[in-house]
Amino acid sequence: MSKKSDGKVLAQNKKASHDYFIEDTYECGLVLTGTEIKSLRLGRANIGDAFATIRNGEAFVHNMHISPFEQGNRFNPSDPTRARKLLLKKAEINKLLGQSKQEGYTLVPLKVYVRNGYAKLLLGLGKGKKQYDKRDTAAKRDAQRDIQRALREKQKVAR
């Protein structure tokens, strides 16, 4: 059930692809209170340290920082890093629970965006990379960049 984001990206976890092999992604809704959606639309969110868990058949995202809205009222949440519930279907939660229980797998928030007026979170099932995996990925990326550079130079000379 891999889905792509169509909406405006409000926050992105760029370190996730560096630290994890992302094997599958799920789009889920966020349960927000008060003026959190206004602050989120202004781009005042950070998911760099965020992680997701499943407890009692419900999915939650922890350490996702949404700054309080400046023009907020008394319903502004006092804790910007509180646990927020994720909206997933029961079958998806059971599938994620089984996969995340395997050794080395974790649930990583990848992006927060707005689609059709609703805040969505792209949740990835990731397996942690070792240090040598990170070096190997960087070496492959550099080699691919060198190949592309050489091809561009060759095309310039051919003209």
Side-chain angles (χ1 to χ4, degrees), residues 85-148:
K85 188 174 177 181
L86 300 176
L87 302 174
L88 287 163
K89 293 184 178 179
K90 192 60 121 177
E92 291 176 336
I93 290 175
N94 290 335
K95 185 176 177 182
L96 281 173
L97 182 63
Q99 290 175 337
S100 66
K101 289 290 184 189
Q102 294 177 7
E103 188 67 29
Y105 284 91
T106 185
L107 299 174
V108 183
L110 302 174
K111 290 182 190 177
V112 176
Y113 53 93
V114 174
R115 178 186 283 177
N116 298 331
Y118 295 104
K120 303 286 185 181
L121 179 98
L122 191 67
L123 191 65
L125 180 70
K127 186 174 178 80
K129 286 185 181 179
K130 304 283 186 205
Q131 188 64 35
Y132 58 85
D133 289 331
K134 293 177 187 179
R135 286 193 297 264
D136 187 44
T137 303
K140 285 180 183 176
R141 184 181 60 236
D142 292 342
Q144 189 65 28
R145 189 178 304 136
D146 291 341
I147 290 169
Q148 292 297 325

Side-chain angles (χ1 to χ4, degrees), residues 30-39 66-67 69 73 75-79 82-85:
L30 282 167
V31 176
L32 301 173
T33 60
T35 54
E36 285 181 325
I37 187 67
K38 291 183 179 188
S39 184
I66 298 178
S67 298
F69 189 60
N73 52 17
F75 299 111
N76 242 358
S78 59
D79 184 18
R82 68 180 182 85
R84 293 172 178 86
K85 188 174 177 181

